[in-house]
Amino acid sequence: MSLVDSVKFDDRGLVSVIAQDSKTDRVLMLAYMNRETLLETLDTGRMVYWSRSRKKRWLKGETSGHFQTVKDFYIDCDGDALLFKVDQIGGACHEGYYSCFFRKRNNNEWQITENKIQD
Amino acid sequence: MSLVDSVKFDDRGLVSVIAQDSKTDRVLMLAYMNRETLLETLDTGRMVYWSRSRKKRWLKGETSGHFQTVKDFYIDCDGDALLFKVDQIGGACHEGYYSCFFRKRNNNEWQITENKIQD
């Protein structure tokens, strides 16, 4: 697929991927894909990442049911970062929040900005 | 600063940073900071990155005048990705676009979604 040929994977074979909520434009998470999981994402319309910690394919929602459906797909000027607008089922964060970015600086402390949507 | 102690820098000493427009919530760019440029960013309120290609500190806007002023600062659940909401002067992209993510998938091709704001 020619689209994927524009992507510059790093020396680990990975590219950084931002998932953004298609309805609210909230940034949900930052993760990684390799060529195979990017192709699977584009083929199936569901976000499939590469887990650096577990060193394996990671279909988002496979265990939690919190799948992400692809709506739009962007690439940056250098080809080394991807942005997907997605429909998020449930929450993106394994800690139970809608977004992984649920902590915000308030003075010199982290403040949790929202309630968990599930335990 | 205790906030920065929450950040997990990778084996290169870097952390991924998403810059998002504070007014429109558009994602502008993805770049990297090391501990020093993160501290400088928090101290000055202007986004200072680490350029992986040039291997040096990179004050965004230093040559273009297109500075980014920090509005809000978020950290993700794992502490290895940061999200800054910023006020963007001019455009974020060195190619003249407001966002570095100016190319969007349209069928099986990249489509430029906007006009340049400067040459």
Side-chain angles (χ1 to χ4, degrees):
Chain A
M1 180 183 285
S2 62
L3 281 179
V4 173
D5 292 335
S6 310
V7 179
K8 289 184 193 149
F9 297 95
D10 68 13
D11 52 10
R12 302 164 297 181
L14 302 179
V15 64
S16 300
V17 178
I18 301 165
Q20 184 178 28
D21 190 285
S22 66
K23 298 185 185 73
T24 64
D25 277 344
R26 182 142 186 226
V27 175
L28 298 173
M29 56 186 283
L30 174 71
Y32 299 86
M33 291 181 182
N34 60 11
R35 186 179 176 90
E36 289 66 36
T37 55
L38 174 56
L39 285 168
E40 184 180 352
T41 295
L42 297 177
D43 186 45
T44 63
R46 279 189 166 169
M47 296 293 278
V48 186
Y49 300 100
W50 178 260
S51 169
R52 294 181 306 167
S53 56
R54 288 178 283 132
K55 295 184 172 52
K56 59 181 286 197
R57 169 189 173 277
W58 166 31
L59 167 61
K60 179 73 183 166
E62 190 164 24
T63 54
S64 64
H66 297 167
F67 296 101
Q68 295 173 331
T69 306
V70 174
K71 303 302 286 185
D72 288 309
F73 173 32
Y74 299 81
I75 189 170
D76 83 344
C77 46
D78 295 326
D80 62 1
L82 306 179
L83 170 66
F84 283 85
K85 294 207 179 189
V86 302
D87 278 354
Q88 174 69 58
I89 297 177
C93 185
H94 69 290
E95 294 196 21
Y97 298 95
Y98 191 66
S99 165
C100 293
F101 295 94
F102 60 85
R103 290 182 291 168
K104 177 179 171 177
R105 176 180 60 177
N106 183 4
N107 296 314
N108 199 29
E109 295 188 345
W110 293 117
Q111 178 181 35
I112 294 179
T113 58
E114 61 195 87
N115 294 323
K116 292 188 181 190
I117 60 168
Q118 71 265 335
D119 289 325
Chain B
M1 178 184 286
S2 62
L3 281 179
V4 173
D5 292 336
S6 311
V7 179
K8 289 186 194 147
F9 297 94
D10 67 14
D11 53 10
R12 302 164 298 180
L14 301 180
V15 64
S16 299
V17 177
I18 301 166
Q20 183 178 27
D21 189 285
S22 66
K23 298 185 186 73
T24 64
D25 277 344
R26 184 143 185 224
V27 175
L28 298 174
M29 56 188 282
L30 174 70
Y32 300 86
M33 291 183 183
N34 61 12
R35 186 179 176 90
E36 289 67 36
T37 55
L38 174 56
L39 286 169
E40 185 180 350
T41 296
L42 297 177
D43 186 45
T44 64
R46 277 187 166 171
M47 297 293 278
V48 186
Y49 299 100
W50 179 260
S51 169
R52 295 182 304 168
S53 56
R54 289 178 283 134
K55 296 184 173 50
K56 58 181 288 196
R57 169 188 172 276
W58 165 31
L59 167 62
K60 179 73 182 166
E62 190 165 23
T63 54
S64 65
H66 298 166
F67 297 102
Q68 295 174 332
T69 305
V70 175
K71 304 303 284 183
D72 288 310
F73 172 34
Y74 299 81
I75 190 169
D76 81 344
C77 46
D78 295 326
D80 63 359
L82 307 178
L83 170 66
F84 283 85
K85 294 207 179 189
V86 302
D87 278 354
Q88 174 70 56
I89 298 177
C93 184
H94 70 289
E95 293 196 22
Y97 298 94
Y98 191 66
S99 165
C100 293
F101 294 95
F102 60 85
R103 289 182 292 168
K104 178 179 171 177
R105 177 181 58 179
N106 183 3
N107 295 316
N108 200 27
E109 295 188 347
W110 294 117
Q111 178 181 35
I112 295 179
T113 57
E114 63 197 85
N115 294 322
K116 292 188 182 189
I117 60 168
Q118 70 266 334
D119 288 327

